Amino acid sequence: MNHDERVLRELVSEYGRTYADEAGIRLKDTPQPLYRLLVLALLLSARIRASVAVAAARALHEDRLDSPRRMAGADWQQRVDALGRGGYRRYDERTATQLGDGAELLLDRWGGDLRRLHEEAGGDTGELRRLLQEEPGVGPAGADIFLREAQRVWPELAPYLDGKALSGAERLGLPKDPDRLADLAGNTEPAVLAAALVRAALDKQVAEDCLRRAS
């Protein structure tokens, strides 16, 4: 095992947990988990700590705001209250509006089923990324977050390692080529690899700890 492989082994061992797992989403290629992932991606894309976004996603689920129909049917204040309970206060009012508008768009255009959006993209990852950004509040960063996690159930995307994940690889002194990183990671799921690399990008201490243990 070479140095790069040791670094990745340490990284995945300590930090290889997807954000969907952290939010309690049992990701499957079915409408509700995919919708919960989209909401999580929107929340994570704001300039806010990932732990707060995850807590807010859990709070929305606890209030049963976990499907497009329920999200669209809830009133604005219900969404604000759930976000606030999760600690998502800085962006709660704007995000509550985006969640309501996005749920309505998803229902109107894709019948509330993100698999239909996936089908519309016709296997083109760039088109899939563009379509996701039609959802209010989901910009390039949110689309990337969704796709990094969705490659677990849409494997044709893999390895989906976006700029944020590759900046984590750079911080670790690893190659910035997605296919090369996937090869070095061996049997590690691409979604797990992506999440671990993002954690290294977001926290310098993560990278330093892994490099020290791998040396």
Side-chain angles (χ1 to χ4, degrees), residues 27 49 53 70 91 103-104 125 127 134 160 177 182 204 213:
L27 197 57
R49 291 195 312 276
R70 289 176 184 151
Y91 301 101
E104 290 180 4
T125 300
E127 178 65 3
E134 294 192 13
Y160 193 90
D177 176 78
K204 186 178 180 181
R213 288 196 301 270

Side-chain angles (χ1 to χ4, degrees), residues 105-141:
L105 175 64
L106 185 54
L107 287 165
D108 291 344
R109 183 158 177 190
W110 294 292
D113 188 345
L114 283 162
R115 294 176 301 181
R116 295 186 184 178
L117 181 152
H118 184 211
E119 290 170 8
E120 185 176 323
D124 183 328
T125 300
E127 178 65 3
L128 181 55
R129 188 173 183 268
R130 186 192 69 77
L131 288 171
L132 286 166
Q133 291 177 67
E134 294 192 13
E135 281 286 302
V138 179

